[in-house]
Amino acid sequence: MTDVILEKIGKTYPNGYHAIPSVDLSIEEGEFIVLVGPSGCGKSTLLRMVAGLESISDGELRIRGERMNEKEPAERDIAMVFQNYALYPHMTVYNNMAYGLKNRGVPKEQIEEKVSGVAEMLGLTELLQRKPGQLSGGQRQRVAMGRAMVRDPKVFLFDEPLSNLDAKLRVQMRVEIRQLQRKLGTTTLYVTHDQVEAMTLADRLVVLNKGRAEQIGTPMDIYNKPATPFVAAFIGSPSMNLMDANVTEQGIKITETFTLPLSHEHRGAIVWGIRPEHLEVSDEQNADFALRIQAVESLGAETLIHGVLEAESGKGEPMVVRLAGPHLPDINSLMWLTAPVQHWHLFDAKTQQRL
């Protein structure tokens, strides 16, 4: 069953700025959808339109078949978890979680039952009489989630909820959010600029670029078959190596120095790409590229090697290689590489669409 439908949703501000030109998205019941993109791409604006905190200029929003465009936030039966938690500092954890239920006139016994049940699920039982100022960042985040969960809403909305936490806690909370969402089965719309967070949480990703949905799909579909160079560069860490190239009768001319053999019906300017982990170390005789090493990042389980392609003009294209395990090549030395054809990504330079 389709739970939330965004049909040609658009947002135009009074000064004429089109923050969201038009977005179409259907979210199934219980699905975890992540809106991802760089700062200023419109993901938080889109989320706030679903929440009712921003007006909808064009299109229609439906939740469980009911039009929501003109309804107040309180009438939409959604619960939102904000980046800054938005907890009442003078209230205990219990009262923060119970506040929305009290406002709706829920009986006291029912409130106690709901709050204690959710607190136990989130490991907050021992903290119910503390105030937010006495809690760690992770604990405050759990309280914000608990406040949303006790309402048993139709839809959860998360606006960059983990951005204020340190790296280790972010990973832990990411796992907890996904486990909770699966357990509750609540339809979820989640905003982040962190593509690792997006990849690990989402059933489906919506990659936004300048207010448009550049690609919608499962994390691995988008990772393996990005629709445009923008998506290719944004999804994956480190980013895909992307280079301007030309398709000629001889093959794909990457630079004046390197031509990769490939027969392709397309002719002319393209963007050629390959992910860092798909480049392979070779010998000089069989290599596609010669990489002049500029920096080495040793990460233990893997090594990232940054360099530029050797070029006759001296202006080499930058390239990153990801190798499993530890490697310590000399800075400024040459590394010979092959780029297996099955891992190439080709995009039309004019339309930016995948070939």
Side-chain angles (χ1 to χ4, degrees):
M1 176 184 166
T2 305
D3 221 11
V4 182
I5 295 175
L6 286 72
E7 193 174 298
K8 293 182 170 55
I9 288 287
K11 176 66 181 178
T12 305
Y13 287 101
N15 63 3
Y17 173 60
H18 293 291
I20 310 281
S22 180
V23 169
D24 287 295
L25 177 64
S26 293
I27 306 173
E28 298 302 310
E29 186 175 356
E31 199 173 15
F32 198 122
I33 297 288
V34 177
L35 303 176
V36 65
S39 297
C41 71
K43 54 191 183 297
S44 288
T45 302
L46 192 60
L47 192 79
R48 290 171 65 83
M49 288 161 75
V50 175
L53 303 174
E54 289 271 5
S55 61
I56 296 170
S57 308
D58 301 293
E60 187 170 83
L61 168 69
R62 296 194 295 279
I63 297 178
R64 303 246 171 120
E66 189 178 354
R67 179 182 163 96
M68 291 288 161
N69 291 45
E70 294 79 24
K71 289 194 178 288
E72 293 297 317
E75 300 174 296
R76 299 190 183 200
D77 199 8
I78 51 97
M80 191 157 177
V81 179
F82 296 91
Q83 182 177 345
N84 61 0
Y85 317 135
L87 300 175
Y88 296 109
H90 62 288
M91 288 186 186
T92 61
V93 168
Y94 180 93
N95 287 329
N96 264 286
M97 289 172 66
Y99 186 74
L101 298 178
K102 287 177 181 174
N103 273 0
R104 291 162 71 184
V106 176
K108 189 178 178 183
E109 299 76 24
Q110 206 174 326
I111 291 174
E112 284 183 8
E113 187 182 329
K114 281 195 171 234
V115 171
S116 60
V118 169
E120 188 175 341
M121 198 184 294
L122 293 171
L124 294 170
T125 305
E126 305 298 317
L127 307 175
L128 286 174
Q129 297 313 311
R130 292 193 194 175
K131 292 184 177 175
Q134 299 169 293
L135 305 178
S136 68
Q139 289 167 336
R140 284 199 290 271
Q141 182 59 67
R142 283 194 187 91
V143 176
M145 286 170 57
R147 183 181 54 192
M149 287 165 59
V150 294
R151 291 181 46 202
D152 196 19
K154 289 176 186 168
V155 184
F156 281 137
L157 304 179
F158 288 89
D159 191 7
E160 307 223 26
L162 308 183
S163 58
N164 291 335
L165 304 178
D166 64 59
K168 185 179 178 183
L169 196 51
R170 263 207 310 273
V171 174
Q172 182 186 330
M173 289 301 297
R174 214 160 60 203
V175 173
E176 287 185 18
I177 287 173
R178 196 62 180 103
Q179 286 175 334
L180 277 167
Q181 193 272 341
R182 283 198 177 109
K183 188 173 182 179
L184 298 168
T186 308
T187 305
T188 300
L189 195 55
Y190 187 107
V191 160
T192 181
H193 66 274
D194 183 328
Q195 52 91 20
V196 175
E197 204 170 291
M199 290 283 289
T200 52
L201 282 171
D203 291 322
R204 283 190 299 150
L205 290 178
V206 180
V207 184
L208 288 170
N209 181 19
K210 297 177 181 173
R212 297 183 187 277
E214 194 105 340
Q215 189 172 0
I216 300 172
T218 68
M220 290 319 296
D221 280 348
I222 289 178
Y223 187 82
N224 291 325
K225 286 193 173 180
T228 65
F230 172 85
V231 176
F234 193 80
I235 298 297
S237 180
S239 292
M240 184 184 289
N241 295 298
L242 293 168
M243 296 174 197
D244 294 330
N246 268 288
V247 181
T248 66
E249 287 182 6
Q250 288 72 44
I252 296 178
K253 193 172 179 63
I254 303 290
T255 66
E256 76 274 18
T257 313
F258 301 105
T259 299
L260 298 171
L262 176 74
S263 57
H264 199 285
E265 65 275 11
H266 183 87
R267 287 287 180 273
I270 64 164
V271 177
W272 176 88
I274 190 165
R275 294 211 177 271
E277 62 269 27
H278 292 147
L279 288 160
E280 296 175 2
V281 178
S282 176
D283 53 43
E284 183 175 354
Q285 189 178 349
N286 298 304
D288 295 317
F289 300 116
L291 186 76
R292 182 70 66 181
I293 297 171
Q294 294 181 318
V296 177
E297 291 183 275
S298 298
L299 304 174
E302 63 182 22
T303 304
L304 301 180
I305 296 168
H306 302 258
V308 293
L309 297 183
E310 284 286 276
E312 290 164 11
S313 66
K315 291 184 178 178
E317 292 279 350
M319 184 175 263
V320 182
V321 185
R322 175 190 255 149
L323 301 175
H327 296 266
L328 280 172
D330 294 331
I331 301 298
N332 216 34
S333 65
L334 276 182
M335 175 177 273
W336 302 96
L337 301 167
T338 57
V341 67
Q342 68 268 28
H343 295 305
W344 295 2
H345 300 264
L346 307 179
F347 306 94
D348 187 299
K350 188 176 181 182
T351 66
Q352 297 287 290
Q353 295 305 300
R354 185 180 185 87
L355 292 172

